[in-house]
Amino acid sequence: MPHVHVCLLPTEILLDIFTIIRDDKAFIWMHPSRDYSTIAALARTCRAFKEPALDVLWKNMDRLKPLISCLPEGVKVATNGEMSLRRPPFAEEWMIFSQYAYRIHSLTIYYAGLDEMSDLVAEALAFAQSSVMLPNLRTLEWLDDRDSFLPLLRTLLVPTITSVTLTTRLWLPWKPSFSKSAVLASLRSRCPSIRKLHCVYGDSCEISDTVSNTVSEAVRGYHELVHLTTGVLDAQALTHLASLPSLKSLCFLLSHRTVDDIPPANSISTFTSKLDEVSITALSYPHLTWCFRNVRFMSCRSVVLSIYSSFIKPYHPPHIPDLIISLSECFSPVLEQLCVQSRFDDEDESALNDHRLAFGFNVIAPLLQFSRLTKLDLDWLCTSDVDDEAFKDMVQSWPLLEEFYFGSRNPWLVPPSLTFIGLIHLIQHCRNLYYVAIRFAACPIDADSELFSATLPNERIALLFVGTSPIVNPMVVASQLHALLPNLTNVMRFQEAEEYELPFEEEWDRMDECLRVLTKGAELHEKISKVLEDSEEG
């Protein structure tokens, strides 16, 4: 094959080469101050390198300061690290600016990046023409909450954009204001081709009709959304989203404003697209139950449900059975991940010891249809009424589990009905498990029993969280845990709380000590065996 000089390579190949150099994590790690200097040097090497190197250099930016630096010295001025202007740029000076601006495809604006510019710079950029600013921008991430910079944001919202993120510097919801509502109201006309939108506008507890209508109106204007993370949606917006064949992931807030906007009788919105992920934050269980009775996510593979409010206690046992039934009707058996998160006031010791808050098999049974689950998080429930036989039926229905969280998130004091036998059922029937969080009575069982002797050890599980599980005979428990979970080095549990004393702390500490000794002994035995094998082979 004849030698080809690198300068004669096609532009597309040069772009690929320069992109690899820019994204080489090993190079950046060794030379953190030179992550872009190599590309800049290549741009100055020869004419063949200049354009593709500049395209790669400017393609993804995390601030506007480098663009301001391209203006002539007579226009720009830097004072104490802040970039400012002596006067507004003239048309020909904006053209210098645009020689680099048109190359930018992705821009992330942090609050610190905005603080690098004076008010004069922000004002000048806000009045610049979109064609001069970033006419080829595809992705915009705006991580700032200040209304004073919104005129600049409006200028950056160009028609070529397909992905927009609008949030705060801490990725918290945008605090509502008239100016932000105006930006959202104009989003559809400014950026008609958005595929990915991330904008949580307002907190779910403080949503006004104006804010809710603004978000829902913006969402209803898009027909090719693929990923959506947003705030409170009304029923009409949900119905619109259900009709989109392109939608892959959906994250939204659910409040009384959505629930009060009840659709016509027998009108159920069904998401017919290949919607893979759904995440819903709600104020209460009834809000979620309402949603699941009026909406169907039949192709969803992952769902995260969060019940949260700073004004109410979201743990309402009477509403939980209805929620689980409606959830089982809303999602199809293709579901692979289910996570339900709920706050609980764990400072109330009397509630933690209240048996009326505990649930058994009948409440959880509707979820057994989800036989493809790889992750199941029911840690929010008090599962003290689930015994070993019922638990065996459950885990046999979920053979593909890899992560399993079951009633241990809160420091419940209600004694669990589940025992070590239930844990063995879990190990026996869910062979892919690598993380388990579960409350059970850790009492030794007969090691000669068929259940114990016939259960194959699980070498994947290295993490086990037991919450406030009771324990008897720590040394024997450590021995049996080590036999079943040979790579388990310690057991995690709740730390001591100031408000009350957690039980069985000393017993679990002794169990951990025994487990560490057994683990060290097993490691030593393996090393000795390997030395003997090597010597025999030699």
Side-chain angles (χ1 to χ4, degrees):
M1 180 176 177
H3 176 73
V4 178
H5 195 281
V6 67
C7 294
L8 301 179
L9 289 174
T11 301
E12 292 78 7
I13 295 179
L14 289 175
L15 284 171
D16 289 340
I17 294 173
F18 297 159
T19 300
I20 292 172
I21 295 173
R22 184 198 64 192
D23 296 340
D24 187 344
K25 293 181 174 58
F27 180 84
I28 294 174
W29 180 78
M30 290 186 293
H31 309 279
S33 62
R34 299 176 59 197
D35 49 349
Y36 285 100
S37 60
T38 301
I39 304 299
L42 287 169
R44 296 189 294 268
T45 300
C46 63
R47 292 182 180 179
F49 284 4
K50 179 181 178 181
E51 290 302 315
L54 287 177
D55 285 345
V56 171
L57 182 66
W58 288 91
K59 184 176 182 180
N60 304 312
M61 302 297 295
D62 60 2
R63 51 177 38 86
L64 289 172
K65 187 176 180 179
L67 273 176
I68 309 301
S69 302
C70 296
L71 291 170
E73 292 297 331
V75 180
K76 66 185 179 183
V77 60
T79 306
N80 296 326
E82 183 185 70
M83 188 66 69
S84 188
L85 298 176
R86 292 188 173 90
R87 58 170 175 78
F90 298 141
E92 59 272 16
E93 294 164 338
W94 277 124
M95 294 305 297
I96 299 174
F97 180 96
S98 66
Q99 290 177 13
Y100 304 98
Y102 85 91
R103 304 176 193 269
I104 297 177
H105 287 191
S106 173
L107 175 65
T108 299
I109 296 292
Y110 298 96
Y111 69 98
L114 292 174
D115 289 341
E116 294 176 339
M117 304 184 306
S118 69
D119 293 341
L120 293 177
V121 173
E123 186 175 353
L125 293 176
F127 282 100
Q129 296 181 358
S130 296
S131 59
V132 171
M133 282 295 291
L134 309 175
N136 293 315
L137 191 63
R138 303 292 188 272
T139 300
L140 174 63
E141 293 183 338
W142 182 274
L143 281 68
D144 190 85
D145 195 46
R146 291 169 289 183
D147 285 359
S148 58
F149 288 102
L150 291 182
L152 174 57
L153 170 60
R154 283 196 295 268
T155 303
L156 296 174
L157 294 173
V158 293
T160 54
I161 287 179
T162 59
S163 175
V164 171
T165 298
L166 304 174
T167 182
T168 68
R169 61 182 180 178
L170 299 176
W171 286 83
L172 296 173
W174 253 15
K175 186 177 181 180
S177 69
F178 182 87
S179 298
K180 294 188 187 72
S181 293
V183 169
L184 290 176
S186 66
L187 192 61
R188 175 69 177 90
S189 60
R190 292 177 176 273
C191 308
S193 302
I194 287 181
R195 306 289 188 273
K196 180 179 180 180
L197 175 61
H198 181 122
C199 179
V200 181
Y201 189 41
D203 185 86
S204 60
C205 302
E206 303 174 355
I207 293 293
S208 66
D209 287 331
T210 301
V211 169
S212 177
N213 293 339
T214 299
V215 174
S216 296
E217 181 67 24
V219 167
R220 289 198 296 268
Y222 289 104
H223 300 276
E224 296 180 352
L225 283 173
V226 178
H227 304 284
L228 175 63
T229 299
T230 188
V232 173
L233 298 175
D234 59 26
Q236 287 76 22
L238 280 176
T239 301
H240 168 72
L241 292 171
S243 69
L244 301 183
S246 56
L247 197 63
K248 300 295 183 184
S249 67
L250 173 63
C251 178
F252 67 99
L253 305 178
L254 194 64
S255 76
H256 65 277
R257 299 186 184 279
T258 313
V259 175
D260 291 342
D261 190 10
I262 300 175
N266 299 322
S267 176
I268 296 179
S269 299
T270 301
F271 282 75
T272 56
S273 65
K274 295 295 183 180
L275 184 63
D276 292 327
E277 302 175 2
V278 173
S279 179
I280 306 175
T281 299
L283 293 179
S284 69
Y285 297 112
H287 288 147
L288 280 175
T289 301
W290 172 91
C291 177
F292 294 152
R293 286 175 176 169
N294 292 276
V295 183
R296 295 287 185 269
F297 302 98
M298 301 312 294
S299 66
C300 182
R301 297 183 182 275
S302 174
V303 57
V304 177
L305 308 176
S306 303
I307 301 94
Y308 173 79
S309 171
S310 59
F311 301 118
I312 61 175
K313 292 184 177 181
Y315 194 90
H316 291 297
H319 300 304
I320 291 175
D322 287 342
L323 171 63
I324 292 181
I325 291 173
S326 65
L327 191 155
S328 68
E329 296 171 347
C330 178
F331 296 90
S332 77
V334 302
L335 194 65
E336 296 177 2
Q337 297 190 11
L338 171 59
C339 178
V340 184
Q341 302 170 342
S342 178
R343 288 175 59 252
F344 182 82
D345 185 6
D346 58 10
E347 297 180 2
D348 187 355
E349 187 172 355
S350 61
L352 292 170
N353 204 22
D354 190 345
H355 203 137
R356 294 174 299 177
L357 303 184
F359 293 95
F361 175 80
N362 291 337
V363 172
I364 303 172
L367 302 181
L368 301 188
Q369 65 166 316
F370 300 123
S371 59
R372 300 185 187 180
L373 286 173
T374 59
K375 178 180 179 179
L376 178 58
D377 187 344
L378 298 179
D379 236 12
W380 55 299
L381 287 177
C382 178
T383 56
S384 295
D385 279 357
V386 176
D387 59 23
D388 293 332
E389 283 302 313
F391 191 68
K392 179 181 179 181
D393 292 337
M394 290 181 185
V395 298
Q396 284 179 325
S397 299
W398 304 318
L400 303 180
L401 282 179
E402 298 175 2
E403 297 179 66
F404 187 45
Y405 308 79
F406 196 69
S408 66
R409 177 172 299 149
N410 301 308
W412 300 108
L413 302 176
V414 182
S417 302
L418 200 63
T419 72
F420 205 115
I421 292 176
L423 179 62
I424 295 178
H425 288 317
L426 179 62
I427 296 170
Q428 185 181 59
H429 296 288
C430 302
R431 299 301 302 169
N432 297 327
L433 277 170
Y434 66 85
Y435 185 85
V436 177
I438 189 172
R439 279 187 78 232
F440 67 103
C443 305
I445 70 168
D446 182 4
D448 295 326
S449 66
E450 182 180 357
L451 176 63
F452 187 91
S453 59
T455 300
L456 295 175
N458 182 316
E459 298 182 355
R460 293 167 56 91
I461 297 178
L463 296 173
L464 175 64
F465 182 81
V466 299
T468 54
S469 296
I471 182 173
V472 176
N473 202 334
M475 182 178 296
V476 178
V477 169
S479 177
Q480 295 187 344
L481 275 177
H482 179 68
L484 294 169
L485 309 174
N487 288 327
L488 185 68
T489 56
N490 72 299
V491 171
M492 297 178 294
R493 53 200 182 277
F494 283 110
Q495 300 298 315
E496 196 69 42
E498 296 181 359
E499 297 79 14
Y500 47 80
E501 183 179 351
L502 292 174
F504 306 105
E505 281 289 295
E506 294 182 1
E507 290 85 347
W508 280 110
D509 285 341
R510 289 201 299 273
M511 198 285 310
D512 263 348
E513 293 175 2
C514 295
L515 191 60
R516 282 194 290 269
V517 171
L518 292 169
T519 302
K520 289 294 183 182
E523 292 175 355
L524 180 60
H525 177 74
E526 185 177 351
K527 289 180 180 179
I528 293 174
S529 298
K530 190 176 188 305
V531 170
L532 292 175
E533 289 177 4
D534 292 342
S535 63
E536 289 177 359
E537 291 177 0

